[in-house]
Each structure stands twice: as C-alpha cells, then as structure tokens.
Amino acid sequence: MDLDQIIDNIGKLPEPSRNALKEIISEVTHPKGHILFKADKVETKVYFIKKGIVRAYTELADNEITFWFGREGDTVVSMKSYVSNQRGYENIELLEECELYEVRKRALHELFSKDIHITNWGREFAEKELLKTEERFIGRQFKTSLERYRDLMNHTPDLLQRVQLGYIASYLGITQVSLSRIRAKFR
C-alpha cells in the first residue's frame, strides 16, 4: 500500500502538511523473522506496513500468545511507548519480508507542535488505534473461538493463507487441534 493511501486512511491532510509529514518518513525493508519491537523496551519509532505481515505477541513461561496481526496499510506502534514513553509489553515479529514506512516518534511530535493539521491527524491516528484495540479486547472477551475465526474469514481471509496455523490458533486462544475442528466446519 502506498504512503499516500495510508496517510489518507488515517485522516486527510492539506498538501503542505502531507509533504511535511512525508519528509520525515523513510522506507525500510526487513527480512522474515526480524523482531521489529522487543518487549520491555521503549520504542522510538512508528511503522506503517507497505507490504507484508507482522504479528504482536507476548511471551509466557512456556509459550507465546499472539494477540494481533498487521498487514498492508496497518500501523505498527507500541502505544505505551508512543503515549507515555514507557517500555512496551509486546514483541513484533515479521512473518514475511516486510517493506515498511518508518517515522521517528520525536520527529512526528515536533511536527505536532508546528502544524495543527498534523496534530489533528495524529489525534485521529491515536483514536483509530484505540478503537482497534477495543475491538480486539471485546472480541476476545465476548466472542467464542468459532465467532472469532468467522470474523477472520470475513474480514481478513488472506491472513488464513499467509500465517502459520499455530499463530492463528494462539490468536484465537485455542489449540491447533481445536482450530482444525473449527476449520472442518467451514469446508
């Protein structure tokens, strides 16, 4: 997904503001398996996915829990680091080679102090990330694994083709055996 589309999906900007924002964004590529964010670290960058898939997970004593997938057009941010400059709780792993747009938080915040349009765009960015988090939380708390799988099929069917089943099962909060049973119901 191109940078202008990503910017517009967050909020519209006048051309001078858009150009100022684009000036502080660079493009980077990382290989599959790269850990973009490491838990318990203050992250200083925000990413937008041009191409590829990432997963957010946390490590427990004996396993990993995947709680989010990002794909083309999505934002990769540690909100705890972004908002309060504190160490984040998530690891972000690239599940494919990824092309990313990268912006340093400090440079973005400097633009916020200079341009009200970019400030409002940043507010919209934070609000949209909050809504996504709320939706994931509510889905995890109040939907069955079957309903969550159906949501994946309906809203992001490409994830089911591009992501390992073990990560899908972890995301749904079930075992791979249970995931196989659910998948059989949809064949």
Side-chain angles (χ1 to χ4, degrees), residues 34-178:
H34 177 77
I35 304 296
L36 195 62
F37 290 173
K38 187 73 178 143
D40 207 31
K41 182 177 180 260
V42 176
E43 298 297 340
T44 60
K45 297 174 184 171
V46 175
Y47 295 90
F48 305 100
I49 303 173
K50 177 180 182 181
K51 183 174 185 246
I53 293 204
V54 305
R55 77 175 178 120
Y57 68 96
T58 190
E59 296 175 342
L60 300 178
D62 57 346
N63 67 350
E64 298 173 347
I65 305 295
T66 298
F67 58 89
W68 176 76
F69 294 107
R71 63 198 214 327
E72 289 82 4
D74 286 333
T75 302
V76 182
V77 61
S78 170
M79 287 305 282
K80 193 169 183 183
S81 292
Y82 179 80
V83 171
S84 61
N85 208 38
Q86 295 180 354
R87 292 181 281 183
Y89 53 85
E90 67 273 271
N91 297 293
I92 304 289
E93 176 186 17
L94 308 187
L95 300 181
E96 299 175 347
E97 178 178 85
C98 288
E99 296 174 23
L100 305 163
Y101 299 109
E102 174 187 274
V103 61
R104 294 190 179 280
K105 185 179 87 165
R106 178 179 293 161
L108 186 57
H109 284 248
E110 286 173 8
L111 280 182
F112 291 164
S113 68
K114 296 175 184 173
D115 186 324
I116 190 67
H117 301 291
I118 296 174
T119 303
N120 286 330
W121 180 89
R123 179 189 45 77
E124 289 179 68
F125 157 75
E127 290 171 348
K128 287 180 180 186
E129 289 304 308
L130 174 64
L131 288 175
K132 289 179 199 174
T133 301
E134 183 180 70
E135 288 171 2
R136 282 193 303 270
F137 174 76
I138 289 171
R140 187 81 177 208
Q141 293 297 312
F142 300 110
K143 290 184 179 181
T144 67
S145 53
L146 181 65
E147 290 170 323
R148 292 192 308 270
Y149 184 78
R150 185 178 291 121
D151 285 347
L152 275 179
M153 283 181 47
N154 292 335
H155 302 313
T156 53
D158 61 309
L159 285 180
L160 300 173
Q161 304 301 316
R162 296 167 71 185
V163 173
Q164 294 176 29
L165 291 180
Y167 296 150
I168 299 282
S170 172
Y171 173 75
L172 296 173
I174 59 176
T175 65
Q176 280 190 259
V177 171
S178 296

Side-chain angles (χ1 to χ4, degrees), residues 3-19 21 115-125 128:
L3 184 55
D4 286 312
Q5 290 173 299
I6 291 171
I7 290 170
D8 287 344
N9 284 343
I10 294 169
K12 302 292 185 195
L13 284 172
E15 201 61 33
S17 299
R18 172 190 298 277
N19 291 337
L21 180 59
D115 186 324
I116 190 67
H117 301 291
I118 296 174
T119 303
N120 286 330
W121 180 89
R123 179 189 45 77
E124 289 179 68
F125 157 75
K128 287 180 180 186

